[in-house]
């Protein structure tokens, strides 16, 4: 998991801010890649909608730990 990878890399408990940034970054990459698909394909569109929700929920969850826009 991402948390386990951060622990190994840092050899310490990551703080929430670091975990939030890493998680949102990872989800953004996944979301952006999914957005490049042929969204005329119903299965690809469905996958994109799921990624959109996952990314939005992560932003809501981690909003307090992320910089203001």
């Amino acid at each position: 998991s991402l948390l386990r990878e951060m622990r190994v890399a840092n050899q310490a408990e990551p703080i929430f801010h670091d975990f939030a940034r890493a998680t949102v970054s990872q989800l953004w990459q996944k979301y952006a890649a999914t957005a490049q698909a042929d969204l005329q394909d119903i299965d690809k569109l469905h996958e994109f909608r799921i990624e959109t929700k996952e990314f939005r929920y992560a932003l809501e969850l981690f909003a307090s730990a992320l910089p203001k826009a």
Side-chain angles (χ1 to χ4, degrees):
S1 77
L2 183 59
L3 181 57
R4 187 172 309 138
E5 291 172 21
M6 291 178 68
R7 283 184 183 150
V8 170
N10 295 333
Q11 297 297 316
E13 289 291 320
I15 60 172
F16 184 69
H17 173 268
D18 294 335
F19 180 73
R21 292 183 88 173
T23 301
V24 169
S25 176
Q26 183 179 40
L27 289 172
W28 168 253
Q29 291 173 8
K30 192 173 173 185
Y31 171 76
T34 305
Q36 299 300 313
D38 175 14
L39 300 181
Q40 298 299 317
D41 178 318
I42 194 72
D43 292 328
K44 299 289 185 185
L45 178 60
H46 180 67
E47 184 179 345
F48 177 67
R49 292 183 69 204
I50 290 170
E51 294 301 329
T52 300
K53 288 179 183 181
E54 186 175 349
F55 186 61
R56 185 184 83 224
Y57 297 153
L59 290 175
E60 290 173 1
L61 177 66
F62 295 127
S64 66
L66 300 173
K68 303 289 183 226

